[in-house]
Amino acid sequence: MSTKLWYNEFKDDWMWALPLGNGRIGAMQYGNPNCEQIEINEESLWSGRKIEERYHASPEALAEIRKLIFEEKLKEASDLARATFLSDPPVVRSYESFGEIFIDFLDKSPYTNYRKELELSEAIARVSWTKSGINFESECFVSADYDALVYKVSSDKKPFSCRITVKRKRDAYTACPDNNTVIMNGRTAYTASRLYGEGGEGMSFGAKLKIETDGQLSADHDFITVTDGTYIILRGAFSTNYDAEKFDIDETADYREKLNLCLNKACDSSYEQIKSLHIETHKKWFDRVCFELDAEDFSDISADERLDDFRDGKKDDDLLTLYYNFGRYLLIESSGKNAHLPANLQGIWCHDFNPPWGSDFHTNINLQMNYWPAGCANLSDTEKPFIHFMKMVSTFGAETAKKLFNSNGWVINHTSDAFGRTGVHDSVDCGFFPMAGPWLCLNLWEHYEYTNSKQYLEEIYPILKGACEFVNDYLIEDNHGHLVTSPSNSPENEFYYTDTDGIKQESMLTHGATIDFQIIYALFTRTAHACKVLNTDANFAAKLETILSKLPPMRISERYGTVQEWIKDYEETEPGHRHISQLFGLFPGDQINENEPEIYEAAKKTIARRIENGGGSTGWSRAWTICFYARLKDGNNAAEHLGYLLKNCTAYNFFDIHPPFQIDGNFGGTAGITEMLIQSHLGTPDERIVELLPALPYDWSNGKIKGVKARGNLTFDIEWAQGKLTKATVTADKNSVLMLKLNSRTGLPNEKQYTIDGEILKAEISAGEKLQLTF
């Protein structure tokens, strides 16, 4: 299994740095032999503070907007919506860089024998080089057990000297209280603006470094000098006064006390003890899954060269397994272990004070995509911060639902932050998306399906029900007797229409975008099933079923035979738009599937038309395309777009490029690969149907994957040869019935402990036991 990114040259570029983390703390190690630089992030360090969002909404304004939309006066409706729904202030503030650690080596002579690597299976970055006849080696990792960053650099017993500090470009100061300690303290400051609102001071934060060495230590005002040491061990702690349980700053919290507790614990243990425990802890996450393809081994070639070769057309299937492993690694390091907040647009790694899109929580696909691989790639526990996020924003969103729409339940639109804002941000055109909450609920539900925890379902049921209550109040009857959403949009895409004066216009606002009804279907069917499982709210479940029967059906465009994106067969202004929202029902939903052949064929035409017109241009959109083709059982096209994802949307450190860096593409690509090998979305939540190798590409003729999950909390190890399944081992957490869909790649197993019902193989599995099938 390929688990190592390595490089033989140093580049002074953040997009060449190597990501480390423990969920709460992120680090980017540059690997500079002259002056090592490690950028630090801490998940809670955001600009701003909790504020009260102001709106100009009223029931009368909403009624007028809906009336104008039904009259096809979309410009007038859009103008009124912009004046009505946009939050004040309209933009959320940003996630920020915490600061940077510098280890400045005093010898600036040329270096040779350079190598930098990230071992994914250990979550350790290593750098080695030779300078002035001295061989150097360094290791860096972020310990979850000690909640601290640890860095060690050593020479082959020959002394060297360096200076060590931690700095932030603004809002902080650095000092050295003694000869082996560096501290940094700060408080975010932000200016007033029309977009962001009032200025002021926000979160307090601090860092503390302890230096261990066999050399001489001396302190200046903001750095420590190590003279003639053969090794240096740096232990670093980082904290803020943010309270994740309140989604707010806690002015009574003493972050300095947290720093001292972390460092005292770390300093009481040896480097080898900390490292050994770090590897042991990390492997409990990372080693759950092993993915291998029968491919030529190019591990002796650096990662950047391999990526360049791949772009030039060289076949390197092992690079795909490395990419897959990297995606799982990023989810562990940004949302597993010690994380309290979910992975944002950049996971946990941020280089700026005003990063693209604020490195916020984007909820019209991006946050959802971050967690697509969590269940299937056996990382459901990385969703814990996301689940907490949902509990918080559903509480805050109840007030927003009442103020914006005079509705029950709760709502969130297309962005949020560490303070849980739920209003309409940036612009009404793009920022208005009240179906974000119901979509996020699908992620909540998937966690239930992959873990089989009834206790968890009881915990999240109020969130699901609240989202349903909002949708119930938001739907209105149209002129055809259907219940529709209004206003509505298909995220970020526009269409042409002819206004009442016969003039061709463009609009993003309408009623009844197709994605809305697909999301509502997903939410209502799952919430109704939750009522059954929990034996509660039978009348509410029946009400949801009634509403579902009144939604408009999915329609097929008369122009192109594609799935209509809106309730009318509008012509989109961008036929190659990055969002392919009308295919939500294909993935991550399940409403569009092979059991409905007409709409399934229309879905094929939809994605083909998008791609023909330049679609999939961003990293996350390309990743979504992989997932679509996996669900369409088209492995060769899925593999082709996986190739495009690496060639066109992957940096040399394997970060996804939107552009710029945006981590969702990494996670979406990882989910897409898993979907190519195992699917379990069909059937019912009581009896999910598992299909193995549903979209196996021709080029992946031999391989194996161990530890992947199917819904129902079934764990699979599968092997295949010459494009055919040869072995499957299934483990269940409780007595279960495996329902395995047979296809051209499976055939019948040699074992006889099963029954066949059409194309479905049924076999009983006892709790904790392994069912082995050979083919």
Side-chain angles (χ1 to χ4, degrees):
M1 182 171 71
S2 189
T3 61
K4 186 175 293 184
L5 300 172
W6 74 269
Y7 308 83
N8 56 17
E9 61 178 324
F10 166 70
K11 296 283 188 180
D12 190 12
D13 186 334
W14 193 82
M15 292 298 286
W16 281 72
L18 299 178
L20 301 163
N22 71 354
R24 188 181 72 83
I25 300 168
M28 291 288 285
Q29 183 177 4
Y30 281 69
N32 188 340
N34 287 321
C35 181
E36 180 60 281
Q37 181 178 350
I38 305 170
E39 180 144 21
I40 302 298
N41 290 106
E42 202 276 351
E43 62 173 356
S44 68
L45 188 59
W46 289 63
S47 178
R49 56 170 58 241
K50 185 180 285 293
I51 61 172
E52 181 178 353
E53 296 191 290
R54 298 179 294 272
Y55 311 101
H56 306 286
S58 67
E60 294 77 17
L62 178 59
E64 180 63 17
I65 291 167
R66 287 170 163 171
K67 177 176 176 291
L68 291 169
I69 287 173
F70 283 146
E71 294 172 353
E72 202 76 353
K73 296 179 180 179
L74 301 185
K75 183 181 184 305
E76 294 84 347
S78 297
D79 290 342
L80 182 55
R82 293 183 188 110
T84 299
F85 293 127
L86 191 63
S87 299
D88 180 15
V91 181
V92 301
R93 293 190 184 268
S94 300
Y95 182 55
E96 293 189 351
S97 169
F98 195 96
E100 294 165 296
I101 297 170
F102 296 96
I103 300 97
D104 188 4
F105 298 97
L106 300 188
D107 180 4
K108 303 297 184 184
S109 58
Y111 58 85
T112 58
N113 301 326
Y114 180 83
R115 180 183 172 102
K116 176 176 72 175
E117 66 179 47
L118 173 61
E119 177 51 63
L120 303 176
S121 67
E122 297 179 345
I124 295 179
R126 296 180 172 93
V127 186
S128 60
W129 68 97
T130 301
K131 183 186 289 190
S132 300
I134 303 175
N135 296 317
F136 291 86
E137 292 182 350
S138 74
E139 292 184 326
C140 189
F141 57 91
V142 185
S143 165
D145 306 283
Y146 291 85
D147 207 13
L149 177 136
V150 183
Y151 170 87
K152 180 180 181 180
V153 59
S154 58
S155 68
D156 51 359
K157 302 303 180 183
K158 297 178 182 178
F160 63 92
S161 301
C162 66
R163 296 191 184 100
I164 300 171
T165 191
V166 56
K167 296 272 191 174
R168 195 172 194 261
K169 293 175 183 176
R170 68 187 198 196
D171 304 337
Y173 69 91
T174 301
C176 297
D178 55 52
N179 283 349
N180 72 339
T181 307
V182 187
I183 61 170
M184 181 182 76
N185 293 301
R187 185 161 189 152
T188 60
Y190 45 94
T191 57
S193 75
R194 180 184 62 82
L195 294 178
Y196 295 101
E198 295 179 357
E201 290 187 331
M203 210 172 291
S204 296
F205 58 92
K208 189 172 185 178
L209 310 182
K210 282 287 188 180
I211 313 302
E212 174 189 336
T213 181
D214 59 350
Q216 299 296 312
L217 289 165
S218 61
D220 205 321
H221 72 282
D222 63 355
F223 65 87
I224 285 175
T225 300
V226 179
T227 304
D228 292 340
T230 63
Y231 78 88
I232 297 168
I233 299 172
L234 181 155
R235 297 170 174 87
F238 315 91
S239 191
T240 73
N241 67 340
Y242 176 81
D243 185 348
E245 295 304 312
K246 299 177 181 177
F247 264 44
D248 199 0
I249 296 168
D250 181 358
E251 297 291 359
T252 68
D254 185 356
Y255 69 85
R256 294 175 179 85
E257 182 179 356
K258 299 178 189 176
L259 299 177
N260 290 333
L261 287 172
C262 284
L263 274 188
N264 289 342
K265 180 180 176 182
C267 290
D268 285 342
S269 300
S270 71
Y271 175 81
E272 291 303 328
Q273 287 174 323
I274 299 172
K275 176 183 170 183
S276 176
L277 187 56
H278 164 75
I279 294 173
E280 179 184 344
T281 297
H282 179 70
K283 283 185 171 295
K284 290 176 182 177
W285 297 74
F286 187 83
D287 287 357
R288 296 173 192 172
V289 172
C290 176
F291 175 38
E292 297 180 21
L293 293 173
D294 184 11
E296 190 172 351
D297 183 6
F298 294 115
S299 60
D300 60 336
I301 301 174
S302 64
D304 53 315
E305 291 181 76
R306 290 179 71 178
L307 198 54
D308 281 338
D309 290 344
F310 190 81
R311 289 167 177 159
D312 291 338
K314 181 178 179 180
K315 181 177 172 61
D316 187 355
D317 287 342
D318 188 54
L319 191 69
L320 307 180
T321 66
L322 180 60
Y323 183 84
Y324 180 82
N325 293 330
F326 184 67
R328 291 186 69 251
Y329 168 86
L330 290 179
L331 188 55
I332 295 166
E333 304 306 271
S334 64
S335 190
K337 299 178 180 174
N338 298 353
H340 298 95
L341 292 174
N344 60 48
L345 275 177
Q346 297 185 181
I348 199 175
W349 299 279
C350 174
H351 183 48
D352 304 297
F353 296 98
N354 188 23
W357 300 284
S359 192
D360 62 18
F361 302 120
H362 246 59
T363 53
N364 66 356
I365 186 172
N366 314 93
L367 180 59
Q368 292 92 329
M369 184 181 286
N370 283 358
Y371 291 94
W372 285 355
C376 59
N378 205 342
L379 291 172
S380 287
D381 33 2
T382 62
E383 293 178 296
K384 183 179 178 181
F386 171 80
I387 295 164
H388 178 63
F389 172 85
M390 289 294 291
K391 291 176 182 178
M392 300 304 291
V393 296
S394 61
T395 302
F396 304 144
E399 182 178 355
T400 305
K402 187 64 68 176
K403 287 183 175 180
L404 268 183
F405 304 110
N406 195 32
S407 71
N408 294 302
W410 64 275
V411 70
I412 185 173
N413 286 272
H414 99 304
T415 58
S416 189
D417 61 6
F419 305 108
R421 289 181 63 180
T422 54
V424 179
H425 306 135
D426 297 340
S427 72
V428 169
D429 299 81
C430 292
F432 183 90
F433 188 55
M435 291 299 107
W439 185 346
L440 289 163
C441 284
L442 180 58
N443 291 76
L444 282 183
W445 175 262
E446 292 285 79
H447 184 87
Y448 163 68
E449 286 228 44
Y450 278 103
T451 60
N452 255 351
S453 171
K454 185 176 178 181
Q455 179 181 348
Y456 164 76
L457 186 60
E458 290 174 344
E459 188 180 322
I460 66 161
Y461 176 70
I463 304 176
L464 303 180
K465 184 176 181 180
C468 292
E469 288 171 335
F470 169 77
V471 171
N472 173 65
D473 287 357
Y474 191 65
L475 290 167
I476 62 170
E477 188 171 309
D478 70 2
N479 298 330
H480 305 284
H482 291 127
L483 292 176
V484 298
T485 51
S486 181
S488 173
N489 61 27
S490 187
E492 302 181 25
N493 203 4
E494 293 183 292
F495 56 87
Y496 296 112
Y497 74 101
T498 303
D499 67 16
T500 53
D501 295 323
I503 300 172
K504 188 176 183 179
Q505 303 277 10
E506 298 178 10
S507 179
M508 196 174 285
L509 205 66
T510 181
H511 72 282
T514 299
I515 186 176
D516 290 359
F517 305 123
Q518 295 174 349
I519 290 173
I520 293 168
Y521 172 86
L523 173 66
F524 279 20
T525 53
R526 286 153 176 82
T527 305
H529 188 79
C531 293
K532 175 184 172 184
V533 172
L534 300 176
N535 193 27
T536 188
D537 281 345
N539 291 337
F540 185 70
K543 182 178 182 179
L544 299 182
E545 297 288 352
T546 299
I547 294 172
L548 283 171
S549 69
K550 296 181 179 180
L551 298 180
M554 281 186 284
R555 294 180 169 92
I556 296 174
S557 168
E558 294 182 2
R559 286 191 180 93
Y560 305 109
T562 55
V563 179
Q564 271 187 208
E565 189 162 356
W566 296 276
I567 199 165
K568 296 183 179 180
D569 197 7
Y570 293 121
E571 179 87 8
E572 65 267 58
T573 61
E574 286 186 68
H577 197 272
R578 59 195 174 278
H579 284 266
I580 313 119
S581 301
Q582 67 270 43
L583 294 190
F584 170 95
L586 177 64
F587 189 95
D590 56 17
Q591 191 177 6
I592 299 174
N593 59 68
E594 57 264 46
N595 297 326
E596 303 290 340
E598 188 176 7
I599 202 73
Y600 195 61
E601 288 301 313
K604 294 179 183 179
K605 294 178 181 177
T606 303
I607 187 62
R609 183 167 185 269
R610 271 293 204 268
I611 296 302
E612 287 168 5
N613 287 278
S617 57
T618 66
W620 63 263
S621 182
R622 187 70 69 180
W624 200 5
T625 301
I626 299 166
C627 296
F628 288 146
Y629 276 119
R631 286 281 174 92
L632 292 171
K633 311 299 173 68
D634 188 344
N636 291 334
N637 257 320
E640 180 179 355
H641 287 278
L642 176 60
Y644 291 147
L645 183 62
L646 268 77
K647 292 175 181 178
N648 303 329
C649 304
T650 301
Y652 286 117
N653 67 355
F654 278 45
F655 271 168
D656 176 72
I657 302 172
H658 177 281
F661 166 48
Q662 200 168 289
I663 205 166
D664 40 23
N666 287 108
F667 297 142
T670 302
I673 292 171
T674 314
E675 284 282 325
M676 293 162 72
L677 302 176
I678 181 170
Q679 294 179 17
S680 59
H681 57 286
L682 295 183
T684 67
D686 285 331
E687 292 185 326
R688 285 299 187 193
I689 297 169
V690 180
E691 186 171 5
L692 303 179
L693 308 182
L696 186 72
Y698 176 80
D699 283 347
W700 297 8
S701 56
N702 302 300
K704 60 184 177 181
I705 190 165
K706 296 182 178 181
V708 288
K709 289 277 190 177
R711 292 167 182 84
N713 202 7
L714 300 176
T715 306
F716 279 81
D717 301 344
I718 59 177
E719 299 179 19
W720 63 95
Q722 297 180 334
K724 302 286 186 179
L725 185 68
T726 58
K727 184 178 180 181
T729 303
V730 193
T731 308
D733 74 319
K734 65 179 183 180
N735 294 338
S736 304
V737 176
L738 169 66
M739 300 184 66
L740 182 66
K741 182 178 180 180
L742 304 174
N743 59 36
S744 61
R745 300 179 190 87
T746 57
L748 291 174
N750 298 317
E751 293 77 10
K752 301 300 180 184
Q753 67 266 40
Y754 61 82
T755 59
I756 299 292
D757 182 3
E759 61 180 2
I760 305 299
L761 176 151
K762 296 183 179 180
E764 295 184 356
I765 312 175
S766 299
E769 295 185 5
K770 292 182 183 294
L771 172 66
Q772 292 190 344
L773 301 173
T774 57
F775 297 82

